Amino acid sequence: MVNFVLVAGARLGAWAWDDVVPYLRAAGHGVHPLTLSGLADKRGVPAGQATHVQDIVAEVERQDLRDVVLVGHSYSGIPVGQAAERIGDRLVRVVFVDASVPTDGKSFSSAWPDGGAALEASIAENAGFWPLAPTAHYDGEGLTDEQIARLVRGSTPHPGATLTEPAVLAESLSALPATYILCVMPGAEPDDAEPDANVAELLNSTRWRLVKMDTGHWPMFSQPRELAQILLNAAVE
């Protein structure tokens, strides 16, 4: 048995894993979906990047979890990657689900093509939060209308400081046992069907694995059974 700690991306909370959790529990594993500070049921709690890292580490330590598989989706790959090196021998594997990966001294926003200028302007204009995404943001991602409605209904504005403050790593993530799940819609452009340069470099490590899913950026909604199976496979690699 392993313990999956599931952390969803920006604007989302533990609820985003509701369709995945039953498959993991049916396989006999511990499953711990986590809401980060400032989001969903923890809305209003002040948060920076270090807060989100500590949220994850504290959950592992509070429950004295062992044989941990840390799973980070989208934005949450950044705090999950940092937390993975902090929990030491409790970690079995870290899984990045179509996620950003942390680089020491770099923030989530700094990886944007404009260096984060537009994102930071949006945060400044919205009282320090990244505002909710419009419904159209989820088009073309393999989601049903009902799934899009759930995403829109459940989302909360995201604490801006968590996106602009830098990651802190002791060493390269290449030293961690990791699986990267790349979500690619059928018919996608060739550039979109391969991981970005940062992830591609990490995949040169013998400790990293790449898995592709034929779906959009929110596979916990569009393909929960398939995502769960990939997580189960990653736990025994």
Side-chain angles (χ1 to χ4, degrees), residues 56-79:
I56 299 163
V57 174
E59 180 73 3
V60 171
E61 292 179 344
R62 181 182 67 83
Q63 299 201 57
D64 194 24
L65 300 179
R66 306 283 171 171
D67 300 318
V68 173
V69 178
L70 287 182
V71 181
H73 163 251
S74 194
Y75 151 78
S76 289
I78 292 182

Side-chain angles (χ1 to χ4, degrees), residues 13-91:
W15 64 271
W17 300 98
D18 284 355
D19 293 346
V20 175
V21 168
Y23 296 111
L24 302 179
R25 287 192 173 143
H29 299 292
V31 189
H32 309 272
L34 177 63
T35 295
L36 298 174
S37 295
L39 297 163
D41 52 297
K42 296 181 181 176
R43 188 173 184 175
V45 177
Q49 180 57 215
T51 315
H52 280 181
V53 176
Q54 185 55 33
D55 284 342
I56 299 163
V57 174
E59 180 73 3
V60 171
E61 292 179 344
R62 181 182 67 83
Q63 299 201 57
D64 194 24
L65 300 179
R66 306 283 171 171
D67 300 318
V68 173
V69 178
L70 287 182
V71 181
H73 163 251
S74 194
Y75 151 78
S76 289
I78 292 182
V80 160
Q82 295 169 80
E85 71 170 18
R86 288 163 169 76
I87 65 170
D89 61 6
R90 295 173 184 263
L91 181 74

Side-chain angles (χ1 to χ4, degrees), residues 33-177:
L34 177 63
T35 295
L36 298 174
S37 295
L39 297 163
D41 52 297
K42 296 181 181 176
R43 188 173 184 175
V45 177
Q49 180 57 215
T51 315
H52 280 181
V53 176
Q54 185 55 33
D55 284 342
I56 299 163
V57 174
E59 180 73 3
V60 171
E61 292 179 344
R62 181 182 67 83
Q63 299 201 57
D64 194 24
L65 300 179
R66 306 283 171 171
D67 300 318
V68 173
V69 178
L70 287 182
V71 181
H73 163 251
S74 194
Y75 151 78
S76 289
I78 292 182
V80 160
Q82 295 169 80
E85 71 170 18
R86 288 163 169 76
I87 65 170
D89 61 6
R90 295 173 184 263
L91 181 74
V92 168
R93 198 163 192 87
V94 57
V95 182
F96 297 95
V97 182
D98 216 37
S100 300
V101 296
T103 300
D104 186 53
K106 301 291 186 180
S107 67
F108 174 83
S109 64
S110 65
W112 285 41
D114 64 354
L119 173 58
E120 291 175 19
S122 177
I123 292 168
E125 293 166 3
N126 289 276
F129 288 86
W130 197 17
L132 299 180
T135 300
H137 179 67
Y138 304 100
D139 289 346
E141 296 288 346
L143 298 162
T144 66
D145 289 345
E146 179 187 2
Q147 289 163 348
I148 292 173
R150 285 175 60 200
L151 274 161
V152 172
R153 185 170 60 249
S155 294
T156 47
H158 191 95
T162 69
L163 307 172
T164 60
E165 292 176 356
V168 178
L169 291 170
E171 58 183 58
S172 170
L173 289 178
S174 62
L176 293 174

